[in-house]
Amino acid sequence: MQPLYDAIGSTYCATRRADPEIASELARLVGASGGLRYLDVACGAGNYTSALAALGGQWHGVDISEVMLGQAMRKAADVEWKIGSATALPYEAGLFDGAICSLAIHHFPELEAPFREVWRVLDEGRFVIFTAFPEQMHAYWLCHYFPEMMRRSAEKMPAREAVVSALLAAKFDVESIVPFHVTARLQDLFLYSGKARPELYFDPAVRANISSFASLCTDAELHDGLRALRADLDSGRFAQVAQAASSSGAGDYVFVVARKPKVGD
């Protein structure tokens, strides 16, 4: 994860910012409350860490990329930032009352070691993961225009069963899996942010800060995909493509809510 985000980190915040709806849901699910300590694992540029700190609790952010963390440090003086790996978190055991990880687990080589580390640094409380499952991504209309990029991107995303299995192996209880549907109000321009706004993908600045476009899409596929998308938008055919790719009730992304129980539970 470090080389990629060191490369795109200098422009990341131009198009990537905390979406209020996602931040509010993360705060609700993790139980953010004043006087308690929380950790954002693989916090990147600190967009969600800073937004959550404004909603309640004492927040800490850890990331492996110095470039990304340099941006994070300029966002919120009341957040404690540290360089560190998700597999060796630089914190003492039982320090935190909750933790989140947003759009990052697909960058981990495997899941069980990071999840065990989160379990270690939690006293008790919830660990909330915001991610997308491969089965959700297969329903994105982006697959129609950028099939190879999306195939490679979905392959990198841990499946529902893998996430749940790793959480259970790390001794978490899995409480719920909550779908998230992208709308045109979304402010964080990540991969499927253009679900209802396809014109976003014609903006190089937007694509530059989406890891799939930045690292998994060839020049040829990008050229052909954008050309086909433009033709379908101009002809009106895009509406049919988008309708065929509807995610229905499964959501486009998902919140996975796990909990480290109290001793004796």
Side-chain angles (χ1 to χ4, degrees):
M1 179 166 65
Q2 186 175 11
L4 171 62
Y5 281 92
D6 279 348
I8 71 175
S10 61
T11 64
Y12 191 76
C13 292
T15 62
R16 302 296 299 272
R17 58 188 60 89
D19 178 78
E21 182 180 351
I22 294 174
S24 178
E25 186 70 349
L26 286 169
R28 183 185 73 82
L29 292 172
V30 81
S33 176
L36 300 181
R37 284 189 292 259
Y38 301 92
L39 177 64
D40 187 353
V41 181
C43 67
N47 293 332
Y48 284 97
T49 334
S50 302
L52 286 161
L55 295 175
Q58 178 186 346
W59 281 83
H60 297 242
V62 61
D63 198 88
I64 198 171
S65 169
E66 292 185 11
V67 173
M68 297 291 275
L69 207 59
Q71 293 189 70
M73 290 175 177
R74 295 192 290 270
K75 285 191 173 73
D78 56 343
V79 174
E80 294 191 30
W81 310 100
K82 283 190 178 182
I83 291 280
S85 167
T87 58
L89 293 171
Y91 305 101
E92 64 189 70
L95 181 62
F96 298 105
D97 301 289
I100 70 156
C101 185
S102 176
L103 297 176
I105 63 169
H106 56 290
H107 294 298
F108 299 161
E110 55 91 26
L111 297 180
E112 191 172 327
F115 290 176
R116 287 187 183 277
E117 273 293 275
V118 175
W119 192 94
R120 179 184 68 80
V121 302
L122 281 180
D123 177 26
E124 59 182 83
R126 290 194 177 104
F127 176 33
V128 182
I129 300 165
F130 182 57
T131 188
F133 293 141
E135 53 267 34
Q136 293 176 304
M137 297 177 68
H138 293 320
Y140 295 180
W141 60 252
L142 286 169
C143 296
H144 181 82
Y145 299 100
F146 308 100
E148 182 60 18
M149 179 193 79
M150 289 302 299
R151 182 190 66 78
R152 296 171 68 190
S153 186
E155 283 181 351
K156 289 179 173 291
M157 300 301 290
R160 177 186 178 119
E161 295 77 10
V163 175
V164 170
S165 176
L167 285 167
L168 294 176
K171 299 190 283 189
F172 282 101
D173 295 334
V174 178
E175 289 190 331
S176 62
I177 297 178
V178 183
F180 175 79
H181 298 267
V182 170
T183 72
R185 299 187 304 273
L186 184 70
Q187 294 184 27
D188 190 356
L189 304 186
F190 45 69
L191 178 59
Y192 207 32
S193 58
K195 174 185 177 180
R197 295 173 290 172
E199 295 284 350
L200 285 177
Y201 298 110
F202 294 99
D203 186 343
V206 171
R207 298 195 308 269
N209 294 320
I210 296 173
S211 62
S212 294
F213 279 102
S215 64
L216 302 177
C217 191
T218 66
D219 290 343
E221 183 173 31
L222 179 63
H223 176 270
D224 292 346
L226 290 178
R227 183 175 61 179
L229 177 57
R230 171 52 63 200
D232 284 354
L233 288 169
D234 291 345
S235 69
R237 183 175 179 270
F238 173 76
Q240 299 173 21
V241 174
Q243 179 63 32
S246 174
S247 62
S248 186
D252 305 303
Y253 291 83
V254 70
F255 297 93
V256 181
V257 184
R259 184 173 72 94
K260 179 178 180 177
K262 296 178 181 180
V263 175
D265 276 10

